[in-house]
Structure formats: C-alpha cells, structure tokens
Amino acid sequence: MSKILKVNKPSDYSSWVGQTDPHELISVINYSEVSPVRHSLNSYGVYGLFLQGGEKGRDLIYGSGKYDYSEDTLICVAPGQIGGLEDDGELVNLTGWAVLFHPDILQGTGLEKEIKDFSFFDYRINEALHMTPEEREVMIALLRQLENELKFPSDAMQNRIIVGFINLLLRYAQRFYNRQFVSRTIQNNDILSRFEKLLKEYFEKDRQLTDGVPTVQYCSEQLCMSPSYLSDVIKRTTGETANHYIKSYVIQLAKNRLVSGMNSSEVAYSLGFDYPQHFSRTFKKMTGITPSEYCDRRLKDR
C-alpha cells in the first residue's frame, strides 16, 4: 500500500522537507535551500504550485498517471488531488520552487470565488505548463517577493498583500498556459480532429442507444486527457466549449433526421436522449426554435 503524506495545511509539507513556516496558511519553498529531501506522495487539502527543475529520469505521479518532470514545468494541484512520488527512503537534490496555500487565506476576497475559474488546477500531470526561461524568471521573481513578504511581522495588510501575490501568480500561469495553447496549434488541431472522429464513430456505432448522449468526461477519457484540458483546447481552437461542441454536433444530426421525416420523439430516442422533452429543450436552447418549428420552416423553404 502506498505511503501517502496528508497535506491538510501548508506546514504538513514544509515540515516534511525540513522548513518552518512563518505563516500558518501559506508556504513558499525554495528547494535549493532545503535539499536534499525525500520524495513524498501527497494527498492535498491545499492549493499548490510547483515550479519544477526536476531530477533527471524520475517520474512524478499525479492521480493514476506519471510524468517525466526533468523539464522546467509548472504543476498545479488543488484540494482533493493526489500527486508526488512515493518515499523510497532516498535523499534527492531538487531544484525549483513551490508555494502551497490553504483555501482559508482567500476567505472574503474576490479570489475566493474566482479561483474555480483557473481550470489548470484540474489538468493532469502530462498537461503541465512547459515554461520558457523568461516565464520561469517571472514566476521566480514573484515567489522571491512573496517569500520576503512572509518574513515581515504580521500586520493588518499582510494577508491582502499575500493574496495579491497569489492572484498575480495565477494570472501569469493563465497567461503562460494561453501561450502554450497558441504555440501548440498543430497539436491542438490534432486533438480537435480526434475529437470529431470520436463523436462520428460514437454515433456510427450507435453507442448513444446504450450510453446516451456523449459527455465531455467520456470524450476526455477516450482521448487520454482531463475534461478541463480538453475543454480549454477546444475553446482555444473553435471558440466553443467542449460541451457546446458536442451539443452542436448532436443538434446537426437531429436536423438531418428531422428533415428525413423522423418525428421529434423518434429523433430524441435515436440520439440517446432519455426523454423527448429533454431533446426539445436542448434543441431550442441551441437553435432558438423548437424541433417542430424547425420542420415547419424547412417545409416553407421548399
């Protein structure tokens, strides 16, 4: 059975690597100052950003996957996730930085609600951010400033300043992820092609008759990526979310079947909807008209 370190607060991880934190809700770690350290497979109750330098040839675990983190990457984790490398007793020299913060530090701030919008916290480890040297320096500069702020005596402004730094780190991470999406246009187009092929084969094989309308979760699993990453790639490539793209595909099939003479109920069940009413609501939401109104318009156009 795997040995898992429970990281319910930042100090749980800091103590593991031999660091004492001046603030109970946040920890900034410079691995070059605490190494050598032992690896740990962590169960997170906190948010974490790990700017990895890496150790050549070692795989980092995240959920059920593995990732070679010998490159400069940014790995983001959120409460409820598991990541790291199980302790084997060996001491290793790591480079890079980490910042871990408890959700409580965000209470009463705008970031408390906004943090759910940073979808990269739900990416798998093989979807980590591959940083340029310039991007890495930006992140390290912010981490050094945050580290210095934590050395000051606590006052009424400190938590606001700390949250400000967290906000900046997340905004830059989002900017750099956006750059990665843009710079990987060919790869993203390949994902879109595979996504379209998956939907086509799903209905050609009548999977919808047993499994219902395809979901983003199903498609992402078949494409070996997280739902959030798939949604972000499709959004960057087409301007639509993955969920909207699936619905658009299904509605186009519905239009073809309505025109062929099938009634609304027949189309609904043939496409995997449990109830005709659900199909009608989805159709109207996507097109602005009901299936019957669509058929009437097509008849008038003939």
Side-chain angles (χ1 to χ4, degrees):
M1 184 174 180
S2 297
K3 295 177 286 185
I4 296 180
L5 176 66
K6 300 288 186 181
V7 184
N8 295 319
K9 53 186 184 297
S11 60
D12 291 331
Y13 183 74
S14 299
S15 297
W16 175 264
V17 299
Q19 175 172 297
T20 301
D21 295 328
H23 197 294
E24 64 179 352
L25 295 179
I26 186 167
S27 173
V28 176
I29 298 168
N30 182 348
Y31 283 110
S32 64
E33 294 181 354
V34 297
S35 287
V37 299
R38 285 157 49 202
H39 284 297
S40 60
L41 182 58
N42 309 315
S43 174
Y44 292 102
V46 300
Y47 290 97
L49 280 70
F50 294 85
L51 183 57
Q52 301 287 344
E55 176 194 1
K56 192 68 175 178
R58 297 300 294 267
D59 286 333
L60 193 67
I61 296 171
Y62 183 81
S64 58
K66 292 185 177 181
Y67 180 72
D68 180 355
Y69 66 112
S70 58
E71 299 182 59
D72 286 341
T73 54
L74 180 68
I75 298 164
C76 305
V77 300
Q81 297 175 351
I82 293 177
L85 186 65
E86 188 173 351
D87 176 30
D88 59 4
E90 181 184 0
L91 287 172
V92 292
N93 288 303
L94 298 180
T95 60
W97 291 70
V99 55
L100 297 91
F101 58 94
H102 196 279
D104 285 355
I105 201 170
L106 306 181
Q107 285 183 356
T109 70
L111 193 54
E112 181 181 14
K113 295 180 179 179
E114 292 177 0
I115 196 165
K116 67 180 186 300
D117 297 328
F118 293 100
S119 54
F120 50 75
F121 279 115
D122 293 322
Y123 291 172
R124 291 175 181 166
I125 203 69
N126 57 354
E127 296 152 2
L129 172 62
H130 295 258
M131 307 186 74
T132 67
E134 294 78 14
E135 291 168 350
R136 179 180 173 84
E137 286 306 310
V138 168
M139 299 298 278
I140 290 176
L142 287 173
L143 288 167
R144 288 191 188 280
Q145 291 181 68
L146 177 54
E147 182 183 45
N148 288 333
E149 172 59 35
L150 294 175
K151 294 176 182 177
F152 287 113
S154 178
D155 58 28
M157 292 298 297
Q158 187 176 60
N159 275 9
R160 291 186 182 183
I161 293 172
I162 290 170
V163 172
F165 276 115
I166 294 172
N167 189 30
L168 275 173
L169 286 164
L170 299 183
R171 302 290 174 186
Y172 273 109
Q174 187 64 72
R175 168 186 278 184
F176 299 154
Y177 260 114
N178 291 345
R179 182 273 310 161
Q180 181 165 294
F181 284 129
V182 171
S183 65
R184 295 188 175 186
T185 302
I186 295 176
Q187 181 183 19
N188 293 346
N189 286 337
D190 177 62
I191 292 173
L192 177 60
S193 297
R194 290 162 55 205
F195 185 40
E196 292 173 338
K197 182 180 179 182
L198 179 65
L199 292 174
K200 184 173 182 287
E201 292 179 347
Y202 189 91
F203 286 98
E204 285 180 346
K205 296 178 180 179
D206 289 330
R207 290 287 305 272
Q208 76 278 10
L209 300 181
T210 55
D211 298 337
V213 178
T215 63
V216 176
Q217 180 70 41
Y218 168 82
C219 292
S220 64
E221 288 175 355
Q222 298 302 305
L223 296 172
C224 300
M225 61 187 64
S226 67
S228 296
Y229 191 79
L230 174 61
S231 290
D232 284 349
V233 168
I234 300 304
K235 180 74 172 178
R236 289 284 166 187
T237 308
T238 69
E240 301 177 357
T241 65
N243 185 51
H244 190 277
Y245 195 92
I246 292 171
K247 288 181 179 178
S248 297
Y249 187 91
V250 172
I251 293 305
Q252 186 57 53
L253 292 179
K255 289 178 178 179
N256 295 341
R257 298 184 188 197
L258 287 168
V259 171
S260 72
M262 295 175 68
N263 64 43
S264 182
S265 293
E266 290 172 334
V267 172
Y269 291 125
S270 74
L271 292 176
F273 288 89
D274 292 330
Y275 306 102
Q277 297 91 332
H278 184 202
F279 164 66
S280 295
R281 287 196 301 270
T282 302
F283 191 97
K284 185 172 184 179
K285 184 176 181 181
M286 296 294 293
T287 66
I289 58 177
T290 65
S292 59
E293 289 172 336
Y294 174 78
C295 291
D296 290 342
R297 290 188 183 184
R298 288 303 300 264
L299 286 172
K300 291 178 181 178
D301 291 339
R302 290 181 179 178

